[in-house]
Amino acid sequence: MLTRVILIFLLFVLITLAFAQNRETVKGCIAGNVTMQFKPALLAGREVKTYVWNKVRGIFKDPSFAKFEPSVSSQLEIYYNEEHQVQNRLIHYPEEPATLYLTDLRKSDQEQYLLVVSYVDYVGTPPEWIIDLDVQDVCFEKPKDVGKCAVSTCYTGENGVLKTPDDREETVNGLKVINVCEKRTTGTYYCCNSKGNCIVQ
Ligand SMILES: *[C@@H]1O[C@H](CO)[C@@H](O)[C@H](O)[C@H]1NC(C)=O
């Protein structure tokens, strides 16, 4: 009886681990960039036929997002382009087949992405990798020292506002890099998006 309980418990732990291992959350800032590196454990010596990405579009909707088929084309094929609005924002290199670079992030990119890899001649469960992309709608990077200056970036998306220590308000369209090099520019900065959500630094 006890052995059975232990066995069931171990099975439960294993299943949980198995699910935890093929999934990660990737965080990005609006108007910023993100690398979505899918990390399925690929079988050595097996040729991959297709890399297929799905993106949840709602129930009863085809989740197809993108496909890369090395034997057919070196180009990533994107589905529902109009809806996903990723033209010129989605970058894929054939030499990094399982990685997507998404630039100029939008809130609508926040979704669950699933990559399925299938081999040329392999019957079995194809490896999968899930990325939950989280797009924050206002971000203020921690300042980095560059020479004598402290440099940070305020990400707000469109119609954001940056309030400087001397009480000026600057419009932010997407993102703004801030260089703090002199004493008169040190102090509190407010990085605010169009909805009025601010981050103070
Ligand atoms: C995002 O990537 C694009 C294209 O590679 C680049 O031009 C841009 O400077 C990057 N933006 C940030 C905030 O790093």
Side-chain angles (χ1 to χ4, degrees):
M1 181 61 198
L2 190 64
T3 358
R4 189 179 288 177
V5 169
I6 290 172
L7 273 177
I8 289 172
F9 175 75
L10 278 179
L11 199 65
F12 176 77
V13 168
L14 277 176
I15 290 170
T16 316
L17 276 178
F19 278 106
Q21 274 169 359
N22 68 347
R23 171 169 211 148
E24 71 176 335
T25 299
V26 170
K27 283 193 173 160
C29 296
I30 197 146
N33 295 344
V34 87
T35 302
M36 293 199 285
Q37 197 187 354
F38 293 82
K39 303 159 181 163
L42 296 185
L43 289 176
R46 292 276 182 182
E47 191 190 337
V48 173
K49 180 163 171 48
T50 53
Y51 299 83
V52 172
W53 284 267
N54 292 309
K55 177 184 176 186
V56 177
R57 293 169 64 229
I59 42 171
F60 308 128
K61 280 192 170 181
D62 181 353
S64 302
F65 176 61
K67 184 169 94 172
F68 177 55
E69 194 166 354
S71 64
V72 171
S73 166
S74 60
Q75 293 283 315
L76 182 77
E77 192 181 340
I78 302 167
Y79 302 98
Y80 307 105
N81 234 325
E82 286 287 296
E83 184 179 322
H84 296 307
Q85 300 278 314
V86 290
Q87 296 96 322
N88 308 315
R89 297 196 299 122
L90 189 63
I91 301 166
H92 178 263
Y93 303 103
E95 58 276 21
E96 293 175 85
T99 302
L100 294 180
Y101 295 93
L102 192 52
T103 64
D104 191 13
L105 284 178
R106 299 172 187 182
K107 200 68 188 171
S108 60
D109 297 327
Q110 177 168 298
E111 213 18 283
Q112 187 184 97
Y113 297 80
L114 164 75
L115 169 67
V116 184
V117 172
S118 19
Y119 298 100
V120 170
D121 48 9
Y122 178 67
V123 277
T125 320
E128 295 185 351
W129 185 257
I130 297 170
I131 286 187
D132 295 294
L133 180 62
D134 182 3
V135 180
Q136 273 144 312
D137 60 6
V138 55
C139 298
F140 210 168
E141 256 172 21
K142 284 227 160 65
K144 287 187 205 92
D145 287 327
V146 179
K148 283 183 182 166
C149 307
V151 179
S152 70
T153 308
C154 158
Y155 297 86
T156 64
E158 281 180 5
N159 302 314
V161 178
L162 177 74
K163 293 177 195 160
T164 62
D166 50 3
D167 279 335
R168 270 183 308 123
E169 289 197 359
E170 293 174 24
T171 315
V172 183
N173 261 317
L175 58 96
K176 192 162 225 142
V177 179
I178 303 149
N179 273 292
V180 179
C181 306
E182 296 157 39
K183 209 156 189 171
R184 67 175 178 81
T185 55
T186 57
T188 310
Y189 285 80
Y190 294 84
C191 172
C192 307
N193 67 9
S194 59
K195 282 186 265 168
N197 295 330
C198 301
I199 298 182
V200 183
Q201 208 162 83

